[in-house]
Amino acid sequence: MIQTALIAIVALTFSMLATPLVRRLALRAGVVAVPRVRDLHITPVPLLGGLAIYGSFVAALILFGDRAYIVELIAILVGATLVSLFGLADDRWGLSAWAKLAGQLLAGIVLLLGGTQVQLFPLIWLDWLVTLLWVVIITNAINFLDNMDGLSGGITTIAATFFLLLAAMNEPRQVLVGAMAAALIGACIGFLRYNLNPATVFMGDTGSLFLGFMLAALAIKLRFPSSTPVVTWMVPLCILAVPLFDTSLVVVSRMRRGVNPFTTAGKDHLSHRLHALGLTRREAVLTCYLLGGAAGMVGVYLTRATMVEAYFVAVMMAAVGVAALIWLERACPRGGSGQG
């Protein structure tokens, strides 16, 4: 636990020190988010905050990570670096959705080559397919969620905290998962010092794609030796319920309007709709935090529940999610104002 705490503290310290530096770098390089009709900021805001998150995460693991897991860690870091580079290119020059998808698939293949994959099916090619699909979905879900100040970083912090908790609760303790989760928590909290409303720096795709990829990898690496996979496959879905719900809401809403859900931006995210219903932007973000924490606690409960209990809870959560989606789509189909 001392090693895990050191990793989190180092990542936090590095992130708090590095974020102002990359902010100045972004301003000098002209890598800024210029205000658009759909944005809330009225002056250009520097991007590249994701570089501080990425660098702090890597530095903490290099300094205090367990060398026994270096091979597994290298494969994950190579994949994370790939998606971050694609995100950096998008922040600087702009990339097509297909180019970013190619980068995510390439990073997912690196995970597979490093031995990080879903283990649910008797046919290995199905595990490979689900692994790649999971990486793409979660990576893009966190990218979609980066639409209000502090939202993506805060939700990632909450999800990583639950991954850290579950890694410690299961025997034997999963040192690699715990270390990566701790580094992610520290790096995100340090960045949030500058990203909470009103944000002075954005993480950009450099950060959101990196965070999404790392959460996908953490969910795959987490194991439950004392529980049955028939139940535990639902745990990561609960922990990541907020970004998954937000993505589902956006996709359904945009398809109903007859536009491409993956290339058309808008103010139709969960946070925007909460703001449209009367919450301030900060209250909307905090509400998403609360929802993420509640869903994460359900995920922890599932690891100790019987099969009948687990599936009953899962069905109830799914029903609530569908009902909330329908209600939000009817109450405020176009959402409110937000970052993107």
Side-chain angles (χ1 to χ4, degrees):
M1 293 304 294
I2 294 177
Q3 181 186 38
T4 303
L6 281 173
I7 290 172
I9 292 170
V10 169
L12 170 64
T13 304
F14 275 40
S15 184
M16 290 190 68
L17 294 174
T19 300
L21 298 178
V22 298
R23 181 182 182 277
R24 288 197 288 269
L25 174 64
L27 286 172
R28 290 185 179 181
V31 186
V32 297
V34 178
R36 298 158 296 183
V37 175
R38 61 188 176 88
D39 293 329
L40 70 88
H41 58 286
I42 57 176
T43 59
V45 177
L47 294 168
L48 300 186
L51 281 179
I53 297 174
Y54 170 83
S56 303
F57 176 88
V58 173
L61 289 177
I62 289 176
L63 289 174
F64 292 103
D66 195 322
R67 300 298 187 271
Y69 300 96
I70 191 67
V71 175
E72 294 176 84
L73 180 59
I74 286 175
I76 294 172
L77 289 181
V78 169
T81 302
L82 279 172
V83 295
S84 295
L85 288 174
F86 273 82
L88 178 60
D90 185 56
D91 290 333
R92 183 62 183 89
W93 299 288
L95 293 179
S96 69
W98 290 109
K100 289 191 285 186
L101 176 61
Q104 294 160 25
L105 289 173
L106 183 59
I109 291 172
V110 171
L111 272 189
L112 290 174
L113 293 176
T116 299
Q117 66 178 60
V118 170
Q119 296 178 2
L120 292 174
F121 304 102
L123 298 176
I124 192 169
W125 66 268
L126 279 176
D127 283 336
W128 293 346
L129 180 61
V130 172
T131 298
L132 292 176
L133 187 62
W134 175 255
V135 168
V136 169
I137 290 174
I138 299 304
T139 300
N140 283 289
I142 297 299
N143 182 236
F144 271 31
L145 199 67
D146 187 29
N147 55 71
M148 268 195 185
D149 295 347
L151 182 53
S152 191
I155 290 295
T156 297
T157 301
I158 292 167
T161 299
F162 281 107
F163 284 130
L164 174 60
L165 175 64
L166 289 171
M169 286 173 57
N170 287 280
E171 294 293 343
R173 291 183 178 177
Q174 298 171 56
V175 178
L176 179 58
V177 173
M180 291 192 297
L184 211 56
I185 293 167
C188 285
I189 292 176
F191 173 73
L192 284 172
R193 163 68 178 79
Y194 308 94
N195 187 239
L196 290 174
N197 183 269
T200 58
V201 62
F202 294 157
M203 68 174 65
D205 279 11
T206 308
S208 60
L209 294 179
F210 167 73
L211 294 181
F213 179 85
M214 286 308 308
L215 287 177
L218 282 172
I220 295 172
K221 291 297 297 181
L222 188 64
R223 294 286 182 260
F224 304 92
S226 60
S227 304
T228 172
V230 177
V231 170
T232 55
W233 69 270
M234 295 182 287
V235 174
L237 297 179
C238 289
I239 293 175
L240 298 170
V242 170
L244 287 171
F245 176 81
D246 179 69
T247 300
S248 301
L249 177 64
V250 167
V251 169
V252 169
S253 179
R254 293 176 186 176
M255 289 182 68
R256 288 184 68 239
R257 300 201 307 268
V259 299
N260 189 321
F262 305 108
T263 59
T264 305
K267 302 174 184 177
D268 50 2
H269 292 270
L270 172 61
S271 57
H272 299 152
R273 299 183 197 232
L274 291 174
H275 177 60
L277 290 171
L279 299 182
T280 65
R281 295 185 182 103
R282 179 165 289 191
E283 288 170 345
V285 170
L286 291 176
T287 299
C288 290
Y289 288 0
L290 288 173
L291 293 173
M297 287 189 284
V298 173
V300 174
Y301 167 76
L302 292 181
T303 64
R304 298 294 185 265
T306 65
M307 187 181 303
V308 174
E309 292 170 340
Y311 275 89
F312 175 78
V313 170
V315 169
M316 290 297 99
M317 279 196 68
V320 169
V322 171
L325 189 152
I326 294 172
W327 176 68
L328 287 170
E329 186 64 6
R330 289 179 176 175
C332 44
R334 296 299 177 117
S337 60
Q339 179 177 305

